[in-house]
Amino acid sequence: MGDIVDLTTWPRHHNIFYKITSNGLNFEIKAPGNAGIGLASKAGPNCDFLVGIGHNRNSFIKKLTARVSRESAETPNILSSQEYRRFWISWYGDVIRLGIDGEVKPIVTFNYSKNDNLKYVTFTAIDDNRNPVHWRIELPPVLEKPLMKPVTDGELYWVQVDAETPFPDAAYIGGYEKENLYIIRAKHRGSLTPGKFVSSEGVGYIPWGGDANEKNSFEVLCGFNCMWVPCRLDHIPIGAVVAGHSEDHGHEKLYVGRAKYFDHIIPGKVQPSHKVCYIPYDGKEVSMENYEILIVPEKNRCANKFLVPCIDDSLLESEDENDDNDDHSMNYDDYDEYFYAENL
């Protein structure tokens, strides 16, 4: 509940604008005449909309910047000079609504454009007889925009898990396949390969040699100082999490990736020389050219003696964010301006 503001307004009196952090408010009116509420995108001498209550036995909503743009309804005796009467107003979904407290159906509605970003409200009297209007207004609390602070802990680390070791509580959720999937890595024929862990089966799977190979002993990735970024082919971003190496003589670095497959998000391995992310699914190793790769965001990372800026978080905004570690959608467009470094 917000603050209750009591005020009295007079016709042609200077009005005060209040900034509203919500899309509606509740208020009470006691007046012998008629009351008005102005809605505006910015505080100033003019409002974008005027909501009239009880004006000449009518209530209305009018767009002030248009010559003829008004909706009204007959509301005789809606106000009283003897008692406060309670109303509500809302503006969302491209519709302004005025209603009486306790009634869901509004008195009058008005369709408006999304371009009208209404953030301010003011209260007035619209009566030529110079009668005052007494108001009780329930203003919503001011919501401060939270400050974004860098992560100072939650560094990633690997924990060995086997039949005698309990699964760690700090395990990082890396995907979803009817249930949460976790990121693992395990040794296999000379390689150290990342993959997925399925809790309901109690088994890990790593993609290798065309198959999803079962593992009962493996390491689980823990921590939370990391983020997913869209990636494709062999474009490996700065800060990509190295999870293992291939089985060949050069021991190529393998990175933690994940890809959307059917309705699932499945973690696996990124092998740059193959230009794909391999994921284990239904007993097979599936290759994906478009995928996400896990990175540890750090500023002032250097590669090849050139200073590489940190990734701009604003470029990463999409329909779903990864704050809760359960993003199930990917967008691979408009990411050509990332800074990449190969074979670091």
Side-chain angles (χ1 to χ4, degrees):
M1 181 175 178
D3 297 329
I4 304 297
V5 177
D6 289 276
L7 57 89
T8 300
T9 58
W10 298 80
R12 298 183 176 85
H13 193 270
H14 177 71
N15 296 324
I16 299 176
F17 280 89
Y18 297 89
K19 189 172 183 179
I20 303 296
T21 57
S22 66
N23 294 101
L25 56 93
N26 299 316
F27 58 94
E28 298 179 15
I29 301 175
K30 182 172 71 173
N34 310 297
I37 297 177
L39 301 175
S41 57
K42 60 182 179 180
N46 301 313
C47 293
D48 298 302
F49 297 91
L50 178 64
V51 180
I53 304 170
H55 186 257
N56 296 329
R57 302 172 63 86
N58 288 275
S59 296
F60 66 86
I61 303 175
K62 179 180 180 181
K63 185 175 178 64
L64 297 179
T65 55
R67 287 189 175 181
V68 181
S69 185
R70 170 183 176 134
E71 297 290 343
S72 61
E74 292 186 3
T75 54
N77 303 318
I78 195 171
L79 296 180
S80 170
S81 61
Q82 304 298 319
E83 63 179 0
Y84 281 95
R85 294 184 177 175
R86 188 172 176 85
F87 303 88
W88 57 266
I89 187 171
S90 66
W91 52 96
Y92 64 90
D94 302 341
V95 180
I96 302 174
R97 302 171 176 85
L98 171 68
I100 298 174
D101 182 56
E103 297 184 8
V104 177
K105 185 178 180 180
I107 302 169
V108 60
T109 62
F110 185 94
N111 294 316
Y112 71 103
S113 171
K114 280 185 176 180
N115 295 328
D116 298 309
N117 189 13
L118 304 177
K119 296 181 179 179
Y120 294 88
V121 62
T122 186
F123 307 92
T124 185
I126 47 176
D127 194 344
D128 294 334
N129 296 324
R130 298 185 178 276
N131 291 315
V133 176
H134 304 283
W135 304 81
R136 289 176 182 165
I137 307 152
E138 183 180 321
L139 294 177
V142 176
L143 302 178
E144 299 292 340
K145 184 177 180 179
L147 296 176
M148 301 299 291
K149 295 184 178 181
V151 176
T152 56
D153 53 10
E155 300 301 322
L156 299 182
Y157 60 97
W158 297 92
V159 175
Q160 179 66 41
V161 174
D162 52 37
E164 299 179 355
T165 306
F167 197 80
D169 294 333
Y172 182 75
I173 299 173
Y176 186 84
E177 185 183 343
K178 299 181 181 179
E179 60 182 289
N180 290 334
L181 299 178
Y182 299 89
I183 297 169
I184 67 165
R185 67 180 183 184
K187 294 180 180 180
H188 188 79
R189 296 195 177 183
S191 73
L192 181 59
T193 302
K196 70 179 182 182
F197 174 73
V198 183
S199 299
S200 61
E201 300 178 19
V203 175
Y205 297 89
I206 63 166
W208 193 95
D211 298 321
N213 300 273
E214 291 189 16
K215 294 293 177 178
N216 294 310
S217 178
F218 46 81
E219 290 179 286
V220 178
L221 184 64
C222 298
F224 55 83
N225 184 16
C226 54
M227 62 192 301
W228 296 98
V229 297
C231 193
R232 68 187 308 271
L233 300 177
D234 59 347
H235 299 166
I236 307 302
I238 296 296
V241 176
V242 178
H245 56 79
S246 65
E247 69 283 358
D248 55 27
H249 179 71
H251 276 195
E252 180 184 9
K253 291 179 180 178
L254 301 180
Y255 300 90
V256 176
R258 69 179 185 180
K260 185 174 183 179
Y261 195 65
F262 295 110
D263 293 327
H264 313 303
I265 300 294
I266 303 175
K269 70 178 180 183
V270 176
Q271 189 161 0
S273 63
H274 293 197
K275 297 185 178 182
V276 295
C277 174
Y278 291 108
I279 59 173
Y281 180 77
D282 194 23
K284 302 295 183 182
E285 178 186 53
V286 181
S287 62
M288 306 292 292
E289 291 185 353
N290 293 323
Y291 54 90
E292 286 185 314
I293 195 166
L294 191 66
I295 71 165
V296 175
E298 294 181 23
K299 293 186 177 181
N300 300 328
R301 292 290 296 265
C302 292
N304 299 330
K305 298 183 179 179
F306 289 96
L307 185 65
V308 181
C310 66
I311 292 178
D312 184 359
D313 290 347
S314 65
L315 297 177
L316 304 178
E317 293 180 358
S318 59
E319 292 181 1
D320 294 318
E321 301 202 4
N322 299 325
D323 292 342
D324 293 330
N325 206 9
D326 60 353
D327 178 36
H328 298 168
S329 67
M330 300 182 184
N331 182 6
Y332 301 101
D333 300 329
D334 303 327
Y335 288 95
D336 294 336
E337 297 184 1
Y338 282 122
F339 292 87
Y340 293 97
E342 301 179 11
N343 300 321
L344 295 181

